[in-house]
Amino acid sequence: QVQLVESGGGSVQAGGSLRLSCAASGYTYRMAWFRQAPGKEREGVARILTVSGSPYYADSVKGRFTISRDNAKNTVYLQMDSLKPEDTAMYYCAARRSSGGASWNTNDWPYWGQGTRVTVSS
């Protein structure tokens, strides 16, 4: 089992920045950030292979968001810059301990955090 604890959400004006953190209770193979806006399905935002640090981004956030990790702390970060109102959502951290997970299919991610809210006002 892996417990995930997110932090760093909040409210910001459009164009602003926030940094989310996700601390895992143990080893992970791959971690990701998903988000879910009211009335919409959960969507993948960014994922990272924790061993290599290799990132992958959804098209909607490329060039604005940066995912990184600190393996010594079992923590993944999501730096969000140039935020837009459409980035408003609950952001969830997800993880898996085994290989795979190179997808946005939520069924491929067995561990989830409780979520942290991000609100971007225009």
Side-chain angles (χ1 to χ4, degrees), residues 17-74:
S17 298
L18 283 173
R19 189 174 86 148
L20 306 182
S21 299
C22 175
S25 61
Y27 166 80
T28 60
Y29 175 80
R30 199 189 301 269
M31 295 183 73
W33 288 97
F34 287 75
R35 67 186 181 188
Q36 188 166 19
K40 294 190 176 182
E41 290 189 355
R42 194 168 295 192
E43 62 174 0
V45 174
R47 60 181 187 251
I48 189 166
L49 198 56
T50 55
V51 172
S52 65
S54 177
Y56 187 84
Y57 299 95
D59 288 343
S60 58
V61 306
K62 274 182 186 175
R64 300 189 300 121
F65 290 10
T66 303
I67 189 170
S68 61
R69 94 288 188 220
D70 182 337
N71 287 344
K73 297 180 179 179
N74 287 331

Side-chain angles (χ1 to χ4, degrees):
Q1 281 285 351
V2 176
Q3 270 94 42
L4 304 174
V5 179
E6 301 109 328
S7 61
S11 297
V12 66
Q13 289 195 325
S17 298
L18 283 173
R19 189 174 86 148
L20 306 182
S21 299
C22 175
S25 61
Y27 166 80
T28 60
Y29 175 80
R30 199 189 301 269
M31 295 183 73
W33 288 97
F34 287 75
R35 67 186 181 188
Q36 188 166 19
K40 294 190 176 182
E41 290 189 355
R42 194 168 295 192
E43 62 174 0
V45 174
R47 60 181 187 251
I48 189 166
L49 198 56
T50 55
V51 172
S52 65
S54 177
Y56 187 84
Y57 299 95
D59 288 343
S60 58
V61 306
K62 274 182 186 175
R64 300 189 300 121
F65 290 10
T66 303
I67 189 170
S68 61
R69 94 288 188 220
D70 182 337
N71 287 344
K73 297 180 179 179
N74 287 331
T75 299
V76 167
Y77 305 97
L78 186 68
Q79 177 67 40
M80 304 186 295
D81 299 318
S82 302
L83 282 161
K84 304 175 181 180
E86 51 264 44
D87 294 318
T88 295
M90 186 74 83
Y91 283 70
Y92 297 91
C93 178
R96 54 181 297 123
R97 302 191 72 179
S98 58
S99 61
S103 80
W104 298 129
N105 187 337
T106 56
N107 292 324
D108 288 342
W109 299 89
Y111 305 108
W112 292 86
Q114 80 286 355
T116 185
R117 187 171 300 278
V118 171
T119 303
V120 184
S121 58
S122 57

